[in-house]
Amino acid sequence: MALFKIQQPVLAKLRAADALYRLGVIYDIWKSYKEALACFEECIEIRSQHLGNTHEDVEALLDVVGDIYQKIGDLDSSLAYMKKVLIVKESRDGNPTIDNNTALLHLANSAQKNSDLTRALALYEDALDKQTQEFGRNHILVGRTLHSIGNVLRESGESEAALKYFKDALQIFRGQVGLENLEFANTAFAMGLLYYDLQLFEESMLMYLQALKIRQVRLGYRRIKVAATYNSESK
């Protein structure tokens, strides 16, 4: 009974945090972002105090707040919260190493998933500049970001520009990880899709076949990505 009495005030506060969360969700739906932020941030404070700063509920709320700041165009605050999310994730793994580049990529990916392609492109390009300065133009991280930019440009209907980024990514993967790596295969497959969009069917088939060969070796014949490559070839 004594233990229950000790826990009761904490449970009451956590219930209050739950109510604040539900209210924040409603404000978010109504696009009353200032009120939503106030609710979510107070909820974070309560849950951090009683559950700990690295609890999964705290991490989820930090991500929600980062998304709201992104919606209202406050990228600096959004970036700060994305960093907090990544710190929580990595601190649980015993490796809290977060930099601006990691947070930028996380934010860019979130913008792309939300179909905010203009913002995603700007964030990816910002990350690319930082990567190039830090690691040089031929680093594998640069290749990955070039691939991401190519995807955004393809989604935006800028096929010619996307093709250049995919070719640059492919060249980096060829030099850094070789011709039998899945990252090379994924970019080759993306180029196959792009060539198909451009009605360059022979080039498209060559890319599909190259991707298929690598995926068959690395993933086996029954994996979904291999089947997807087969399906693309049959268009």
Side-chain angles (χ1 to χ4, degrees), residues 167-232:
K167 284 181 177 178
D168 288 347
L170 208 62
Q171 185 175 353
I172 291 172
F173 293 144
R174 183 184 291 113
Q176 296 298 319
V177 296
L179 300 178
E180 297 181 358
N181 186 275
L182 283 175
E183 295 202 78
F184 184 94
N186 292 339
T187 302
F189 181 73
M191 286 182 66
L193 293 172
L194 191 59
Y195 278 131
Y196 187 87
D197 292 343
L198 295 169
Q199 298 187 352
L200 297 171
F201 301 120
E202 185 175 344
E203 291 87 344
S204 177
M205 180 61 73
L206 289 173
M207 289 293 106
Y208 286 148
L209 289 173
Q210 197 166 7
L212 176 63
K213 181 180 178 181
I214 297 167
R215 287 175 172 177
Q216 285 174 335
V217 171
R218 299 303 297 271
L219 300 176
Y221 285 79
R222 296 182 180 273
R223 290 290 292 275
I224 291 173
K225 281 196 171 184
V226 175
T229 316
Y230 276 125
N231 183 58
S232 295

Side-chain angles (χ1 to χ4, degrees), residues 55-176:
H55 194 276
E56 289 181 357
D57 287 352
V58 175
E59 176 193 326
L61 277 166
L62 291 169
D63 199 31
V64 168
V65 172
D67 283 341
I68 291 178
Y69 275 118
Q70 185 178 341
K71 289 176 184 177
I72 64 178
D74 187 348
L75 293 184
D76 289 337
S77 295
S78 183
L79 187 59
Y81 271 89
M82 292 302 175
K83 284 184 183 180
K84 291 178 182 180
V85 171
L86 294 169
I87 287 170
V88 170
K89 286 180 184 294
E90 296 203 7
S91 63
R92 284 204 298 263
D93 298 332
N95 182 30
T97 53
I98 302 298
D99 55 22
N100 281 334
N101 176 66
T102 305
L104 278 169
L105 290 173
H106 186 83
L107 196 56
N109 184 258
S110 175
Q112 186 176 359
K113 286 180 178 178
N114 291 326
S115 299
D116 190 347
L117 301 181
T118 300
R119 183 170 295 166
L121 184 60
L123 290 164
Y124 277 129
E125 288 179 338
D126 194 3
L128 181 64
D129 288 341
K130 288 177 171 57
Q131 289 172 340
T132 303
Q133 290 172 20
E134 185 173 356
F135 305 116
R137 183 66 179 176
N138 293 317
H139 197 277
I140 190 168
L141 292 177
V142 173
R144 290 170 183 165
T145 305
L146 289 168
H147 177 101
S148 296
I149 292 173
N151 280 334
V152 173
L153 289 169
R154 180 174 180 259
E155 286 183 52
S156 302
E158 299 181 46
S159 299
E160 295 292 345
L163 187 59
K164 179 183 183 303
Y165 279 93
F166 284 138
K167 284 181 177 178
D168 288 347
L170 208 62
Q171 185 175 353
I172 291 172
F173 293 144
R174 183 184 291 113
Q176 296 298 319

